[in-house]
Amino acid sequence: MKSDIEIAQAAVMKPILEIAKKLDLHEDEIESYGKYKAKINLSVWKRLKDKPNGKLILVTAINPTPAGEGKTTTTVGLGQALSKMGKKAMIAVREPSLGPCFGVKGGAAGGGYAQVVPMEDINLHFTGDFHAITSAHSLLAAMLDNSIQQGNLLNIDSRQVVFRRVVDMNDRALRKIVMGLGGKMEGVPRESGYDITVASEVMAILCLASDLMDLKARFGKIVVAYTYEGKPVTAHDLEAEGAMALLMKDAIKPNLVQTLENTPVFIHGGPFANIAHGCNSIMATKLGLKLADYLVTEAGFGADLGAEKFFDLKCRFGGLKPEAVIIVATVRALKMNGGLAKDQLGTEDLEALTRGVVNLEKHIENMAKFGVPAVVAINRFPTDTEAELNLVRKRCQELGAEVALSEVFTRGGEGGVELAETVLSVLERKESKFKVLYELDLSIEEKIAKIAKEIYGADSVNFDKAAQASMKKYVEMGYGNLPICMAKTQYSLSDDATRLGRPTGFTITVRELRLSAGAGFLVAVTGAIMTMPGLPKRPAAMRMDIDADGIITGLF
C-alpha cells in the first residue's frame, strides 16, 4: 500500500468553490486561499443561524498506544461513508501543530484512504492560523514586559508574571528561560518559559469564541500577572485586546477543505487534549451543523480527555447536543493494554485481549454517564482474527454498545459503510439524553474529584501545596465557578503513563492549578504532564525532504 503522502499526492481534488456549492454556500461567502483551500466569511452565520441543526456525531477513542487507534482516520472515513450513501455530511477536525508533525506523532489529517487534503498544506503552514495565534500571544507578552520596563505604572510584580511565551515547535530548551539580561535597556530580568502554541490560552479562546467581538472580550480577560498587592493584571489593563483581535481577523474564520473523496471538511483550531480542551472551534462546529445533515467531529486522544472536555467544556459553552459518540478501538491496541509487546501484536492472543479490553469497557461506561448513545468502531487490521474480533464484539454488546468494523484506512468511504449504517441506525432508534458530568456550583475540589473518580476511576485526589494555594486564590478572585480542563497523560486513565488497561487503587495528584480566565476554565495540571514537548532522538523531520519540483517526501 502507498504511504499517506503518496495517496494524498495522487488525489483528484475538486476546486474549493465546487466543494462550497455542495454546502449551498454563496460565492461571496468564500475567501479562496489558492485553488483547494478557503476561509468562510463569518457573515454566513447571519444567513443560517435560524436554520435547524444537523446531527452532531462525536468520534473519540480508547487511550492511545504505539499500536495506533485511528481516531482522525475514522472521523474522515465515516464522513466519506455517509457521503457515499447519499447523505449530506461534512467533517470538522482540528488543525495539526508543527511540533508533532516534525517530532514523532506525525500530522493530523487522517491516514490511508481516509485523509483530508491538500495534506501537505494542512500539516505545514496551511492558512496561517497558528502563526496568527503565536503572533497575538507574542504581542501580549511583549506589551506585558514593556509595561514593566516603561515605569511599571500597573505596579506589576515581575516575580508574579504568569503569562509565558509560545512557539509552534517541540523545543525542550525553552521550557525554562531567564530573560531580560544585558543591562537596563534590555528589560527586567526574570524567569519565564515557553509553551507550545497549541497550549496557548489564545488558541483555547479561538476555539471557544462565538464571534470576533467575543474573541476580543475574552482576550481582555486573560490574566497575565499580579501586582505587588496580589491583584490580577489582565490584557485589558495593558490595552492589548484590540491589537490582538486584529491579528486574528482572518484566523477566526473556519477553513474549508475536502477529503480524498471530496467530502467537505472544516478544519479550524488545534488545542491539544492532554494540556488543553482538544476540540476544533465552536464556530466551525456550529456552522457545520447548519450546512449539513450530519456533522462528524473528533476530540483529541482517549475519551477520558477529549470526550470529557468536548462534553463538559465545548458543549457547555457552545450549547451543543451530541446525538451519538463513536469510540475507536483496535484489537492490537487492546492487546497492548493487556501487556503484550508491540512486536507480538500480530499474533492471536485472546488472554492478552481479555486483559486489555477493560480499557474499552471503561470508556463505554464513561460515555453512558453523559447520556449519549455509543458505537464502538473496531478499526480492523489484517492480523486481527475472527476469534479476537468476536471477543471484542461480545463484550461491547454486553455493555449495551453497538459495534461495527471499520476498514476506512485501506478502503476509504466504502470501508466505513458498515460503521455509517450502524451510526444511522443508532440515531434512528436511540435518543441522546446528553448531560454534563458536573454542575458549576460545585467547589473546585469537588469538580476535579468528580472527573478523577468517575471518568478516570481514581480512588482519591491529592492537591499539592501550590495547587491548594492557587485554588484558594482563584476562589477569592471569583473564579471558583469555572469548569475544569484537566491536563493529564493521554496514555493512561491514571496520571501515570505506564499504567495501561484499567488501573485501580490510584490517586490523581494535582500539582498545579492554572487560570485561563479568557477561555473560561481552570487547568488542573496532573502528574508529569508538560506544556512544551521535546523532540525524540530521531525526529520525523530527519526523514523529510523536498525536491527541485517542490514534491515533498517523508511527511506523514
Side-chain angles (χ1 to χ4, degrees):
M1 184 170 163
K2 295 179 180 178
S3 68
D4 286 355
I5 193 168
E6 289 172 334
I7 293 170
Q9 288 171 341
V12 180
M13 291 183 283
K14 292 184 177 179
I16 200 63
L17 288 178
E18 287 189 34
I19 302 299
K21 286 178 182 177
K22 285 187 176 184
L23 299 171
D24 302 317
L25 286 165
H26 299 168
E27 193 166 334
D28 61 357
E29 294 167 342
I30 306 299
E31 299 175 9
S32 295
Y33 277 58
K35 192 174 181 181
Y36 302 112
K37 309 186 295 282
K39 280 190 168 290
I40 307 302
N41 195 299
L42 296 182
S43 63
V44 71
W45 180 252
K46 295 177 182 178
R47 179 170 68 85
L48 298 175
K49 64 181 180 179
D50 295 325
K51 185 180 177 183
N53 283 339
K55 302 284 188 181
L56 178 59
I57 303 165
L58 173 67
V59 179
T60 184
I62 62 172
N63 291 93
T65 69
E69 288 69 50
K71 177 168 46 59
T72 305
T73 301
T74 302
T75 303
V76 176
L78 175 58
Q80 291 184 154
L82 289 167
S83 294
K84 192 175 188 67
M85 295 167 66
K87 306 298 182 182
K88 189 176 184 182
M90 73 175 302
I91 299 159
V93 292
R94 294 170 295 160
E95 301 177 50
S97 164
L98 291 179
C101 284
F102 292 123
V104 65
K105 185 176 180 291
Y113 289 92
Q115 292 189 62
V116 183
V117 286
M119 180 261 219
E120 303 103 304
D121 292 2
I122 291 166
N123 280 318
L124 297 176
H125 299 284
F126 199 26
T127 57
D129 291 349
F130 280 30
H131 297 304
I133 292 164
T134 304
S135 296
H137 186 114
S138 299
L139 173 63
L140 179 55
M143 291 180 71
L144 166 60
D145 281 296
N146 187 59
S147 180
I148 299 172
Q149 172 75 7
Q150 304 288 356
N152 198 11
L153 297 180
L154 294 175
N155 201 31
I156 296 168
D157 182 353
S158 60
R159 299 164 301 178
Q160 295 191 75
V161 172
V162 294
F163 195 73
R164 292 156 57 91
R165 281 163 165 75
V166 298
V167 62
D168 189 31
M169 198 60 62
N170 292 1
D171 193 348
R172 63 169 55 84
L174 294 177
R175 286 173 185 160
K176 297 181 185 294
I177 64 169
V178 178
M179 54 188 291
L181 302 181
K184 186 176 181 181
M185 298 305 295
E186 312 304 325
V188 177
R190 64 180 181 86
E191 292 185 36
S192 187
Y194 276 75
D195 296 326
I196 192 166
T197 295
V198 285
S200 166
E201 187 175 353
V202 175
M203 171 68 83
I205 289 172
L206 169 70
C207 291
L208 293 172
S210 57
D211 55 39
L212 184 59
M213 291 299 99
D214 183 40
L215 182 90
K216 183 169 71 171
R218 287 173 177 268
F219 282 167
K221 295 176 183 177
I222 297 174
V223 174
V224 295
Y226 295 89
T227 67
Y228 285 102
E229 296 77 29
K231 296 180 180 179
V233 178
T234 66
H236 178 72
D237 294 327
L238 293 165
E239 302 177 58
E241 69 266 41
M244 292 173 68
L246 67 86
L247 282 172
M248 298 288 290
K249 68 179 180 64
D250 293 316
I252 195 173
K253 300 169 185 174
N255 305 292
L256 179 65
V257 285
Q258 61 191 291
T259 71
L260 294 172
E261 299 178 11
N262 313 120
T263 300
V265 182
F266 277 152
I267 180 165
H268 194 218
F272 279 177
N274 57 350
I275 51 183
H277 69 287
C279 310
N280 72 293
S281 75
I282 284 178
M283 285 178 290
T285 301
K286 293 180 79 168
L287 184 56
L289 288 169
K290 300 297 183 184
L291 294 169
D293 296 329
Y294 300 93
L295 179 70
V296 185
T297 190
E298 63 163 0
F301 293 129
D304 55 317
L305 288 169
E308 185 273 317
K309 294 174 184 179
F310 181 90
F311 294 143
D312 284 326
L313 295 173
K314 181 173 178 176
C315 290
R316 190 193 303 266
F317 286 131
L320 301 170
K321 182 189 176 186
E323 301 291 343
V325 57
I326 290 102
I327 307 170
V328 181
T330 65
V331 168
R332 290 165 52 85
L334 292 173
K335 287 192 289 188
M336 182 169 273
N337 267 284
L340 209 59
K342 188 176 179 181
D343 60 0
Q344 299 176 333
L345 297 178
T347 304
E348 181 180 285
D349 192 326
L350 297 179
E351 290 185 6
L353 183 57
T354 299
R355 292 193 302 269
V357 78
V358 295
N359 185 267
L360 174 58
E361 291 173 3
K362 176 58 174 165
H363 291 300
I364 293 172
E365 291 172 14
N366 284 348
M367 295 304 95
K369 296 177 189 291
F370 295 97
V372 183
V375 176
V376 173
I378 304 176
N379 189 8
R380 188 173 192 173
F381 278 70
T383 55
D384 298 345
T385 68
E386 282 303 316
E388 290 174 327
L389 293 170
N390 286 334
L391 189 156
V392 178
R393 280 195 195 98
K394 182 180 178 183
R395 191 66 192 112
C396 293
Q397 289 166 351
E398 288 171 350
L399 292 169
E402 308 274 344
V403 190
L405 288 182
S406 173
E407 296 179 285
V408 297
F409 184 87
T410 54
R411 298 172 57 208
E414 183 63 37
V417 169
E418 179 185 331
L419 175 59
E421 288 176 341
T422 304
V423 171
L424 291 172
S425 174
V426 166
L427 291 174
E428 186 74 25
R429 294 182 290 107
K430 297 185 179 182
E431 180 186 357
S432 172
K433 298 178 181 178
F434 170 67
K435 59 182 179 180
V436 292
L437 183 70
Y438 57 84
E439 297 303 324
L440 298 180
D441 57 2
L442 294 178
S443 69
I444 297 172
E445 298 101 316
E446 289 171 326
K447 284 178 281 198
I448 293 173
K450 199 165 183 66
I451 296 170
K453 292 178 180 180
E454 294 202 26
I455 302 301
Y456 308 155
D459 284 350
S460 60
V461 180
N462 176 59
F463 293 89
D464 285 353
K465 287 184 178 180
Q468 291 178 28
S470 295
M471 202 163 7
K472 184 175 182 293
K473 178 170 68 174
Y474 297 150
V475 170
E476 291 172 350
M477 291 167 59
Y479 295 115
N481 64 341
L482 294 183
I484 305 297
C485 181
M486 299 293 291
K488 180 185 76 69
T489 178
Q490 64 268 35
Y491 299 113
S492 173
L493 285 161
S494 73
D495 56 6
D496 179 353
T498 64
R499 299 190 66 174
L500 303 185
R502 183 176 182 171
T504 57
F506 64 91
T507 296
I508 291 288
T509 298
V510 178
R511 60 181 175 82
E512 184 183 355
L513 206 62
R514 298 183 181 179
L515 172 64
S516 293
F521 53 66
L522 294 168
V523 181
V525 183
T526 69
I529 197 73
M530 290 180 292
T531 51
M532 170 55 83
L535 292 172
K537 189 171 184 179
R538 287 195 60 80
M542 289 181 169
R543 301 189 296 273
M544 296 179 190
D545 206 351
I546 188 168
D547 66 16
D549 296 319
I551 303 300
I552 292 172
T553 55
L555 193 63
F556 70 102

